[in-house]
Amino acid sequence: MRLKQWIVLSSIVGCVSSLNAQQNEMNKFVSNLMSKMTTDEKIGQLNQEAVSDGVLTGSIVQGGVDEKIKKGQVGSTFGIWGASKLRRLQEMAVNNSRLHIPLLFGLDVIHGHRTLFPIPLGISTSWDLNLIQQSAHYAAKEATADGLKWVFSPMVDIARDPRWGRVSEGSGEDPYLGSLIAKAMIKGYQGNSLADTMNVLACIKHFALYGGAEAGREYNTVDMSLIKMYEYYFPPYKAAVDAGAASVMTSFNDLNGVPSTANRWLLTDVLRKQWGFNGLVVTDYTAVSELIAHGIGKDLQEVSAKSLAAGTDMDMVSEGFLNTLGKSLKEGKITIAQIDSACKRVLEAKYKAGLFKNPYAGLDSNRYEKEILTKENRAFARKLASHSMVLLKNENQILPLQKKGTIALVGPLADSRRNMLGTWSVSGEWDKAVTVKEGIENAVDGKAKIIYAKGANISDDTLFNQKVNVFGEEISIDEKSPETLIKEAVDAANNSDVVVAVVGEAADMTGESSSRSHIDIPESQAKLLRALVATGKPVVAVLFNGRPLTLDWEKEHLTGILDAWFGGTEGGNAIADILFGDYNPSGKLTMTFPRNVGQIPIYYNHKNTGRPYVEGGPTKFKSDYLDVPNTPLYPFGYGLSYTTFAYDAPTISNTHPKGNAPVKLSVKVSNTGKYAGEETVQLYISDPVASVTRSVEDLKGFQKVYLNPGESKVVNFIIDTESLKFYNANLKYDWEPGEFTFRVGTNSEDTKAVTVHWDK
Ligand code: BGC
């Protein structure tokens, strides 16, 4: 063996043996501790309490927490943050409980902690894995500075139905991109060591297939074939497990007749045995007690026993484990081995988090001032927000705007601080967010005149508004009548050169429990847009939305559309950066925008069917609609730039590859416009003949390339047989020889192709 090889090999051996030593140390510590624990104390560790300090997502808030902590009946809390508050609880656990076992503090830190980034769907449209990883790292830094050690993120549920409000919390419809994002988030949260004071334990959620809810209705049934699960829905969970995620949260839905929270196949056979997950499984909020309503047990005792037996370790809020597992054990309905293995995983998570070494490591209140909402964090938030926004339309190059003349700034979201952060901003400080109006004023700095008018309420539907406003008044009804509001906006438009209309959804029109059966811009605002368009002035819409919207009319009539999602703390500045060309937009959609609700579910990686409709061909007896095209309004991967990019035909290093040797695909991409900008070059693969029906194409690679005007670069993709693999009818993951088409381009519908014949 050569010296170099020997050094590499011995350093690998060294790493493995030090990992083994750490593992042994942990095993010794945990089994020693468990040997001292009573059954009740073990069960206590399986209990997670919601301590009411902020927004909780269920109706149950638990009382008497102090007493329970002292009695060793609490393993973890969530819903409370802040180093001094958490220190008080930790002292209680460490000083007053018999075995001094520290608590693990969790929270829904979903897209930033106090400094908020764009909603996750928005983060995903950046397609920028470095920024995404950094966002998780910033979130972890702020969360740990606030005493937390566990975040309930990333949400990696694939979703193809924009009626489901929680699409805002995920990374869209694609398993390949979703997996890379999941991995980046885990790395960002957990870093290299869970014990590091800047890192947190991540939690993959919601396991599993929550995004497959029928009709996009919240908490609804999921019924899915195994191929669909393994091919399209499982990959991001699996990628996050492979990336070393410390925990997994069960989902609320049932899956093929068995709710996830009691689904042994899912939690034990797939998660632990097939994927080798050895971390902690926590249920979702009251998901154990909800098993009664699901109809798989008559009372809390029965469902708690079922959930534990399925592979759940920690019960969030139901207190079913705490109050019934002891009885079930005595009655022989569960075994002590089941309790032991759950308890062991909870203690291991605490051990890995470094809590036994120093339970107060994260509870240093001095960090707050230095590390939360800092200039640096806000600058990063602004950068990420600008990278996440998607330019959907830009007729006559209306954007970027000049910093001169008169701009009418209208719309109910133009000056709405309350709506800047978006859903799941539990610990976000919305009062510190920059509105669009402020962002624009900062940017023009007096060089252009801004005339502001609200123009409309977000919605005039009182009942709808009541449902949305549960966490505060995101939708308010103005004292002025809708007619007056519109008139003021029209006057502003008539006195301006261009109109910027900030319209769309209120923050909690998406997120949990925010399914919509119409996913359009509410009528009050649609009326406003129609009135503005009627003035004949160019109208640019800046959209706030947590899901794809149906924008058929808007696409036809507006001059420009910028999808800003919910941009977070620095959203207003980031929007201004784009509107005035200080940043050239580069975001690309990660979820298909339908033309109407009837097309849903609509997603780019669909099957061909036996009677595919071919654009422009005969329609009778073809797979299509009488009243709407098959194509979406905006396809997956779509997003414009202020510049234009041209693609040459791709070339391939070998059109008849054999075996596992990879091939190289090359494509020349040129900036043919006037602005420097970044393009996301996307690679899709089609496998037209296989033993099972395949998607018409699947994303298998992408690269970001920054080009100055007139500049060209050759982008290379190395394609190996891993990219050709799929699950066959026996769930074997492999590739089959034959023809493959590699498509490369600017979005899933606009690609150039090259075909190869690949033999085994
Ligand atoms: C949500 C989870 C969340 C949990 C704790 C539930 O309602 O489904 O995503 O982590 O509440 O807040």
Side-chain angles (χ1 to χ4, degrees):
M1 199 186 298
R2 300 226 176 98
L3 182 64
K4 223 165 145 190
Q5 283 172 319
W6 184 85
I7 293 171
V8 171
L9 195 68
S10 57
S11 84
I12 293 173
V13 172
C15 278
V16 171
S17 62
S18 108
L19 275 178
N20 283 342
Q22 281 169 26
Q23 180 79 33
N24 288 342
E25 226 176 90
M26 176 171 81
N27 289 346
K28 228 164 88 189
F29 178 88
V30 170
S31 51
N32 181 33
L33 178 56
M34 282 180 62
S35 70
K36 297 181 199 143
M37 292 170 84
T38 64
T39 302
D40 283 347
E41 281 166 335
K42 288 175 185 169
I43 292 173
Q45 288 302 309
L46 315 187
N47 182 40
Q48 186 182 47
E49 297 273 313
V51 182
S52 165
D53 193 44
V55 173
L56 294 172
T57 56
S59 49
I60 297 176
V61 168
Q62 289 149 316
V65 176
D66 289 10
E67 279 319 299
K68 287 180 208 156
I69 291 174
K70 289 180 197 161
K71 282 194 212 150
Q73 293 180 333
V74 182
S76 165
T77 69
F78 77 103
I80 176 168
W81 61 96
S84 56
K85 286 184 206 163
L86 295 178
R87 179 175 275 273
R88 191 185 76 85
L89 298 185
Q90 195 67 301
E91 279 171 355
M92 231 179 285
V94 172
N95 299 335
N96 301 100
S97 73
R98 192 180 73 93
L99 289 170
H100 320 291
I101 299 174
L103 296 164
L104 178 58
F105 299 122
L107 190 72
D108 287 286
V109 173
I110 308 295
H111 48 116
H113 177 54
R114 302 256 191 176
T115 306
L116 265 277
F117 307 126
I119 53 164
L121 186 62
I123 293 183
S124 75
T125 52
S126 73
W127 293 56
D128 191 320
L129 299 172
N130 288 330
L131 288 184
I132 292 172
Q133 180 172 332
Q134 280 180 53
S135 80
H137 179 63
Y138 275 106
K141 240 168 103 175
E142 286 202 351
T144 52
D146 237 350
L148 299 163
K149 197 60 198 171
W150 187 15
V151 297
F152 303 144
S153 171
M155 190 277 224
V156 303
D157 303 316
I158 292 294
R160 293 170 164 181
D161 193 330
R163 290 172 297 182
W164 189 47
R166 300 196 83 167
V167 302
S168 54
E169 294 174 51
S171 298
E173 70 192 35
D174 183 63
Y176 174 82
L177 179 61
S179 299
L180 293 175
I181 292 178
K183 208 168 128 190
M185 296 287 292
I186 300 296
K187 275 199 206 153
Y189 283 135
Q190 299 193 166
N192 293 327
S193 158
L194 293 172
D196 189 305
T197 32
M198 299 283 179
N199 295 338
V200 289
L201 279 64
C203 185
I204 309 166
K205 73 188 193 187
H206 306 83
F207 197 62
L209 315 176
Y210 189 14
E214 278 179 4
R217 179 158 61 77
E218 185 59 297
Y219 312 129
N220 208 1
T221 308
V222 178
D223 208 310
M224 196 183 281
S225 75
L226 286 171
I227 288 195
K228 189 169 170 183
M229 257 182 230
Y230 276 86
E231 188 71 38
Y232 302 104
Y233 282 75
F234 273 168
Y237 305 110
K238 166 85 163 56
V241 167
D242 291 345
S247 69
V248 167
M249 184 184 291
T250 68
S251 57
F252 285 129
N253 55 285
D254 72 330
L255 171 60
N256 297 348
V258 185
S260 303
T261 305
N263 194 320
R264 191 175 161 80
W265 174 77
L266 200 59
L267 301 180
T268 298
D269 296 350
V270 175
L271 182 64
R272 298 218 185 264
K273 293 189 186 154
Q274 283 178 28
W275 297 353
F277 177 70
N278 59 12
L280 168 67
V281 174
V282 63
T283 73
D284 204 340
Y285 199 109
T286 56
V288 170
S289 54
E290 289 170 27
L291 294 171
I292 303 171
H294 271 293
I296 63 139
K298 61 182 181 317
D299 56 23
L300 193 58
Q301 182 184 352
E302 186 179 348
V303 293
S304 300
K306 280 196 172 167
S307 182
L308 180 80
T312 299
D313 302 319
M314 185 177 271
D315 167 7
M316 182 189 282
V317 179
S318 295
E319 292 192 351
F321 283 13
L322 182 69
N323 294 326
T324 72
L325 289 187
K327 185 160 182 268
S328 291
L329 183 65
K330 281 193 196 111
E331 292 170 2
K333 293 185 174 136
I334 56 168
T335 64
I336 189 67
Q338 286 168 332
I339 292 177
D340 278 350
S341 63
C343 177
K344 179 167 169 268
R345 287 180 198 128
V346 174
L347 297 176
E348 283 176 354
K350 293 183 177 184
Y351 184 94
K352 290 179 206 159
L355 289 173
F356 288 110
K357 286 215 168 95
N358 185 356
Y360 304 107
L363 303 175
D364 164 9
S365 41
N366 293 328
R367 278 185 63 197
Y368 184 93
E369 290 298 322
K370 283 181 268 157
E371 287 169 39
I372 282 182
L373 275 160
T374 60
K375 236 173 146 182
E376 180 195 333
N377 299 7
R378 294 189 73 128
F380 176 78
R382 180 170 179 167
K383 180 173 178 190
L384 180 55
S386 63
H387 282 65
S388 76
M389 293 175 192
V390 184
L391 183 63
L392 296 176
K393 183 175 181 189
N394 195 20
E395 199 173 276
N396 306 326
Q397 260 68 62
I398 183 74
L399 295 177
L401 301 176
Q402 310 256 315
K403 291 179 186 169
K404 64 179 192 199
T406 306
I407 300 168
L409 175 64
V410 302
L413 291 154
D415 192 22
S416 175
R417 208 178 306 285
R418 194 72 184 73
N419 282 297
M420 290 310 299
L421 304 185
T423 185
W424 278 116
S425 45
V426 176
S427 45
E429 301 187 25
W430 61 264
D431 53 322
K432 303 218 168 80
V434 179
T435 65
V436 182
K437 185 162 170 280
E438 288 165 342
I440 288 181
E441 284 164 353
N442 293 341
V444 301
D445 197 18
K447 288 187 217 102
K449 183 173 170 202
I450 309 294
I451 313 179
Y452 166 76
K454 181 174 169 188
N457 298 313
I458 293 175
S459 153
D460 288 330
D461 179 336
T462 325
L463 186 61
F464 178 85
N465 294 353
Q466 262 171 26
K467 287 187 179 179
V468 173
N469 283 343
V470 283
F471 298 139
E473 202 178 48
E474 291 173 4
I475 307 183
S476 57
I477 298 290
D478 205 277
E479 288 166 1
K480 294 176 193 159
S481 71
E483 293 72 27
T484 308
L485 290 174
I486 289 192
K487 185 175 175 309
E488 286 175 356
V490 166
D491 288 348
N494 282 329
N495 289 312
S496 302
D497 304 309
V498 61
V499 182
V500 173
V502 190
V503 292
E505 300 187 292
D508 283 292
M509 278 170 67
T510 54
E512 187 171 354
S513 190
S514 296
S515 294
R516 294 178 67 198
S517 69
H518 296 285
I519 53 167
D520 48 8
I521 294 179
E523 181 53 22
S524 53
Q525 300 179 70
K527 256 191 212 154
L528 168 66
L529 291 178
R530 290 196 290 268
L532 292 169
V533 166
T535 64
K537 298 285 169 140
V539 180
V540 175
V542 173
L543 293 181
F544 278 35
N545 51 326
R547 54 156 61 82
L549 298 174
T550 49
L551 301 167
D552 224 11
W553 183 90
E554 290 78 1
K555 184 182 178 190
E556 202 180 324
H557 293 96
L558 300 178
T559 321
I561 307 177
L562 174 69
D563 195 330
W565 312 111
F566 290 91
T569 312
E570 285 286 328
N573 283 330
I575 288 168
D577 288 342
I578 291 188
L579 289 179
F580 296 102
D582 294 320
Y583 181 73
N584 182 358
S586 61
K588 300 273 192 176
L589 297 179
T590 55
M591 243 190 125
T592 304
F593 274 45
R595 293 172 189 273
N596 65 27
V597 172
Q599 286 185 313
I600 298 170
I602 180 169
Y603 45 93
Y604 86 95
N605 48 355
H606 60 86
K607 302 288 181 82
N608 203 34
T609 82
R611 292 184 176 190
Y613 168 69
V614 179
E615 202 62 45
T619 76
K620 197 62 189 167
F621 305 120
K622 296 293 181 189
S623 176
D624 69 345
Y625 299 98
L626 289 176
D627 54 357
V628 67
N630 281 356
T631 52
L633 191 69
Y634 294 112
F636 177 84
Y638 179 85
L640 302 173
S641 163
Y642 292 155
T643 195
T644 44
F645 297 103
Y647 285 71
D648 283 10
T651 58
I652 193 90
S653 60
N654 182 357
T655 53
H656 280 79
K658 207 170 154 34
N660 287 332
V663 298
K664 181 162 97 178
L665 179 144
S666 308
V667 62
K668 188 167 137 195
V669 184
S670 311
N671 182 341
T672 49
K674 287 195 294 232
Y675 298 85
E678 195 174 38
E679 167 72 331
T680 302
V681 181
Q682 300 160 41
L683 168 72
Y684 297 87
I685 298 187
S686 306
D687 181 1
V689 183
S691 61
V692 293
T693 60
R694 304 289 323 279
S695 324
V696 291
E697 59 178 0
D698 290 299
L699 181 75
K700 290 294 174 185
F702 62 89
Q703 280 182 47
K704 297 205 140 237
V705 47
Y706 187 88
L707 295 170
N708 286 312
E711 195 187 359
S712 299
K713 272 186 193 156
V714 174
V715 176
N716 296 312
F717 290 96
I718 304 298
I719 304 171
D720 62 19
T721 51
E722 270 308 299
S723 306
L724 311 180
K725 288 184 176 172
F726 60 95
Y727 288 92
N728 72 11
N730 301 318
L731 291 184
K732 188 171 168 226
Y733 189 61
D734 203 357
W735 62 287
E736 295 172 1
E739 196 178 287
F740 297 91
T741 304
F742 302 146
R743 304 173 194 280
V744 59
T746 187
N747 67 58
S748 61
E749 282 192 350
D750 186 359
T751 54
K752 292 196 163 141
V754 56
T755 296
V756 304
H757 191 101
W758 205 317
D759 281 323
K760 280 244 168 175

